């Protein structure tokens, strides 16, 4: 009897089955959130077939809308967006951006490097771009449609900007009147996007001192919308900006409290995840933030 008890205790301590037909459960499968686990869905799995990414950011266009009017600069300061006038052109290193995307993991929103994981955080956004990172999230509400604030997106533009692009009107470049173009609101019948060039051609002025208050703040909204589409929140089109951002700027005092830096970082995270697909050739988002971050943290070359 005693010998049988010793044998049973020995089986338990050595990990042997304690009864017939029973066994230990296998260890749970560990999900490895790294690039290798994504197999063929990531650019890194096609090192020889990938292309060099092109940036859809147009910071150079910002210099086509110079801001020198004291009244306008003071208005940007009041809404907490005076850093816009300090942005400078930066030549993009497309090979560096492509290499960074090949090390980006959409599952962890971080770069998987040989030294470990690194990522861009809100402090980087504040230090590099100078935009606010505290406050409520930059999230709008459904305000366009039947029974809502505006019936259509052109109505929203007419109210907040004073006009909207008309397809039968020929517009002229304010810097060179020989250059003309026709503009229309994008996204087919929904008309939810507005051309960036139309914003500059329509609202740029040498001086804003003679404008009444309503028209002046319409010009300020147009300029902020232009900067968002050119630099901070560009999409892959590189030529339009969604009007969802305009509706948030109805009250610029409220708009100044939003965490614009959080929106820029979230948008960049999303675009980095999208561009890891081998079929993508363009990268959007605030790419200048990504490149300067790499220069600051990755000492190569």
């Amino acid at each position: 009897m005693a010998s049988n008890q010793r044998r049973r205790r020995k089986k338990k301590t050595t990990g042997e089955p304690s009864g017939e037909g029973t066994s230990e459960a296998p260890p749970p499968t560990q999900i490895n959130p790294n690039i290798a686990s994504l197999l063929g869905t990531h650019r890194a799995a096609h090192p020889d077939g990938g292309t060099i990414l092109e940036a859809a950011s147009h910071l150079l266009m910002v210099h086509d809308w110079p801001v020198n009017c004291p009244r306008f600069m003071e208005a940007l300061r009041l809404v907490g967006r005076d850093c816009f006038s300090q942005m400078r052109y930066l030549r993009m290193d497309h090979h560096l951006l492509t290499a960074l995307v090949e090390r980006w993991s959409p599952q962890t929103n971080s770069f998987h490097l040989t030294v470990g994981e690194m990522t861009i955080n809100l402090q980087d956004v504040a230090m590099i771009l100078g935009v606010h990172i505290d406050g409520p999230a930059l999230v709008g509400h459904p305000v366009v449609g039947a029974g809502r604030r505006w019936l259509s997106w052109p109505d929203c533009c007419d109210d907040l900007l004073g006009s909207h692009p008309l397809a039968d009107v020929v517009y002229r470049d304010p810097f060179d009147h020989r250059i003309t173009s026709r503009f229309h609101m994008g996204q087919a019948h929904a008309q939810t996007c507005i051309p960036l060039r139309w914003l500059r051609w329509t609202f740029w002025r040498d001086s804003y001192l003679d404008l009444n208050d309503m028209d002046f703040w319409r010009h300020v909204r147009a300029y902020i919308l232009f900067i968002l589409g050119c630099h901070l929140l560009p999409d892959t089109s590189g030529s339009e900006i969604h009007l969802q951002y305009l509706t948030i700027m109805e009250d610029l005092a409220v708009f100044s409290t939003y965490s614009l830096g959080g929106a820029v970082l979230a948008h960049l995270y999303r675009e980095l995840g999208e561009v890891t697909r081998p079929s993508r050739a363009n990268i959007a988002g605030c790419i200048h933030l990504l490149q300067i971050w790499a220069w600051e943290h990755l000492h190569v070359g």
Side-chain angles (χ1 to χ4, degrees):
M1 187 67 167
S3 62
N4 291 336
Q5 292 177 350
R6 284 194 297 270
R7 281 196 296 270
R8 283 196 295 269
R9 285 196 298 268
K10 184 177 180 182
K11 289 180 179 179
K12 291 181 180 180
T13 56
T14 57
E16 296 178 1
S18 58
E20 184 178 357
T22 62
S23 61
E24 291 185 353
T29 302
Q30 298 294 327
I31 299 177
N32 187 13
N34 58 19
I35 298 174
S37 66
L38 301 178
L39 301 178
T41 62
H42 198 284
R43 291 178 59 92
H46 308 273
D48 299 326
T51 58
I52 302 300
L53 295 172
E54 292 292 332
S57 180
H58 293 278
L59 185 57
L60 186 60
M61 291 178 60
V62 176
H63 295 272
D64 295 335
W65 192 333
V67 176
N68 300 313
C69 177
R71 183 187 182 189
F72 203 90
M73 297 176 67
E74 178 64 16
L76 293 178
R77 188 190 66 80
L78 290 176
V79 299
R81 305 296 180 240
D82 52 319
C83 61
F84 290 170
S85 60
Q86 302 173 9
M87 295 177 180
R88 296 293 180 264
Y89 173 68
L90 177 68
R91 183 179 297 276
M92 304 308 302
D93 188 338
H94 299 286
H95 290 82
L96 172 61
L97 297 176
T98 304
L100 289 172
V101 170
E102 290 178 352
R103 306 312 305 164
W104 178 260
S105 173
Q107 295 176 321
T108 60
N109 283 334
S110 61
F111 298 102
H112 285 228
L113 309 173
T114 56
V115 296
E117 294 185 50
M118 298 179 65
T119 193
I120 309 173
N121 55 38
L122 285 174
Q123 184 181 17
D124 297 317
V125 176
M127 296 298 294
I128 295 174
L129 297 180
V131 297
H132 292 169
I133 59 174
D134 53 353
L138 190 67
V139 178
H141 303 282
V143 291
V144 175
R148 293 175 177 169
R149 177 75 171 81
W150 295 284
L151 182 61
S152 65
W153 288 105
D155 292 337
C156 175
C157 283
D158 292 340
D159 188 13
L160 300 182
L161 296 179
S163 62
H164 68 274
L166 299 173
D168 57 345
V169 174
V170 177
Y171 296 90
R172 297 184 181 276
D173 188 334
F175 294 98
D176 189 347
H177 292 284
R178 295 172 299 177
I179 302 177
T180 61
S181 180
R182 296 179 185 269
F183 297 107
H184 63 276
M185 300 180 68
Q187 298 299 317
H189 298 291
Q191 297 183 316
T192 57
C193 295
I194 196 168
L196 295 173
R197 281 200 308 159
W198 177 83
L199 287 172
R200 182 177 67 85
W201 287 18
T202 305
F203 294 96
W204 177 85
R205 298 169 64 96
D206 282 322
S207 175
Y208 302 86
L209 297 176
D210 58 334
L211 295 176
N212 59 53
D213 286 345
M214 178 179 291
D215 289 338
F216 174 74
W217 290 112
R218 284 173 172 172
H219 282 70
V220 173
R221 291 191 191 99
Y223 179 75
I224 296 177
L225 197 64
F226 179 77
I227 295 297
L228 295 181
C230 287
H231 176 48
L232 297 179
L233 298 170
D235 57 19
T236 52
S237 71
S239 60
E240 296 178 331
I241 179 69
H242 200 286
L243 288 171
Q244 61 182 337
Y245 304 110
L246 178 62
T247 62
I248 305 176
M249 288 187 281
E250 181 179 7
D251 189 337
L252 286 172
V254 176
F255 175 74
S256 65
T257 65
Y258 288 122
S259 174
L260 181 57
V264 172
L265 185 60
H267 183 61
L268 180 59
Y269 278 178
R270 179 183 180 276
E271 291 299 329
L272 284 172
E274 290 290 329
V275 82
T276 56
R277 293 182 296 175
S279 59
R280 285 286 296 269
N282 297 317
I283 177 172
C286 191
I287 308 304
H288 297 82
L289 168 64
L290 175 60
Q291 179 162 313
I292 296 176
W293 175 88
W295 286 349
E296 292 289 338
H297 292 83
L298 305 177
H299 302 285
V300 294

